[in-house]
Structure formats: C-alpha cells, structure tokens
Amino acid sequence: MRLFRSGLRVVLGLYAVCASQASEFSSVEIRMGSRATGIESKCAELLKSRLTEIGGPNVRIARETDPASDQKVIVLWLGMITSHDAMAARLNADRIKPLTDRDPGPEGFLVRSYSESEQPVLLVAGVDQRGVLYAVGEILRRAIVNPNSVSFPDSINVRTAPAFEVRGTQFGQSGVAKRVAQVRDWTDE
C-alpha cells in the first residue's frame, strides 16, 4: 500500500508538471490555405470532429483570407505549404527550411508552436496530403480534450516523416517473431 501511495504521488507530480506546461483553450480556429485541396479539407473536418467528440472546444474552420475571430482562440494553420500563403511566409520569415521530399521526407510534416501578436498559433504543415493527415494525428496525440476545452503543450516543434515507405505488413515469418512472440508456424494446407 505504501508503494502504491508513493507511485501515485509521483504520477500526480508528473501530471502537475506536465499540466503546467500546457495552455487551455475554449475555442480553436483551423485556418486552411486559400488553395486547399479536398484532402486538406477532409483533414480539417477530421480534426474538428475529434476535438469536439466529447464536447471539447468550439471549433471553427476558416480560410486564411477570412477575417480573424474576435475571441481568444488558438489558431491552427493547417495544410501543405503550396496551398497556404501565410504558412509559407511564416516559414520564410523564421528561416525554417522548406518541407521537401528529402527533408523531412515523403508523407512528412512539421508541427510548430509560436505566438503572433500574442495569439497562440500552431503551424500544422504537411509535405504532401498524407503528411497533412499525419500532422493532424500528431496534434490529436498531443491534445488533451476536456468537456469544454482543449489543452496543447506550450512548446511543440516536431519535424518528421515515416521511416519506411511500406508499413504494418509482414511477408513470411521471421525467426524473431517465432522466438520472441512465440508465433506458431504457418498451417499446412
């Protein structure tokens, strides 16, 4: 019992430290590029749907050319650099290397937080359409959705891409799978 209480204190302490490094928002504005593709629009709808599943924050999807919202919101610039002029300008102004098929790679993405005129912004950029989807997944993994709000870490800077072109498949049975996972041999038919 004593060990349980000590463990619980450690977990609660870590939670408090992590929670203090996140900001909570009751409204989210997803700003898509003026030339957003249908896939980018579906990614924005998916993000909105997941953030509002259990109530969550108020979420508005807008184009980069639409007037800004009056209320205190976190703005998520979502899409590919080629379809989002404001995002491209921000990367250029901050001297951030452009997203390419070589860096971070195909299906890669960049998620970066910063403030613009004291308004929190998350830049959610994909190298290509799949990269946008994977960037949305990264946002959802980092978001803590509450009944009336969402929290995001104060500092996010992730630039990555999948390591392998083909993932989640296995051809044949490996010796490692047989030895470690105790996978049985294929059935003879």
Side-chain angles (χ1 to χ4, degrees), residues 11 28 36 41 50 54 92 108 112-113 120 124 134-135 170:
V11 169
V28 175
S41 297
R50 293 295 190 257
I54 63 164
N92 190 36
R112 183 180 173 110
S113 59
V124 185
Y134 296 149
Q170 180 179 340

Side-chain angles (χ1 to χ4, degrees), residues 37-157:
T37 65
I39 299 294
E40 289 172 279
S41 297
K42 286 184 180 184
C43 289
E45 288 293 336
L46 173 68
L47 180 56
K48 178 181 179 178
S49 164
R50 293 295 190 257
L51 289 175
T52 57
E53 263 180 352
I54 63 164
N58 296 320
V59 179
R60 173 182 178 240
I61 298 176
R63 295 286 178 169
E64 65 182 319
T65 54
D66 292 346
S69 176
D70 305 359
Q71 53 188 327
K72 182 182 180 236
V73 301
I74 183 166
V75 176
L76 278 63
W77 286 358
L78 176 71
M80 297 182 297
I81 303 297
T82 55
S83 61
H84 206 299
D85 294 332
M87 192 184 304
R90 181 63 191 212
L91 290 176
N92 190 36
D94 288 351
R95 298 181 182 189
I96 297 172
K97 291 189 302 182
L99 301 173
T100 67
D101 281 343
R102 295 188 138 255
D103 181 21
E107 301 177 356
F109 63 87
L110 170 68
V111 177
R112 183 180 173 110
S113 59
Y114 62 93
S115 288
E116 183 173 279
S117 302
E118 297 195 29
Q119 180 175 36
V121 175
L122 279 177
L123 188 136
V124 185
V127 170
D128 48 29
Q129 292 175 342
R130 282 191 180 180
V132 174
L133 177 63
Y134 296 149
V136 166
E138 182 70 21
I139 289 294
L140 290 171
R141 282 188 292 279
R142 291 177 180 257
I144 300 170
V145 181
N146 304 307
N148 297 314
S149 63
V150 64
S151 297
F152 291 107
D154 289 336
S155 179
I156 301 175
N157 190 7

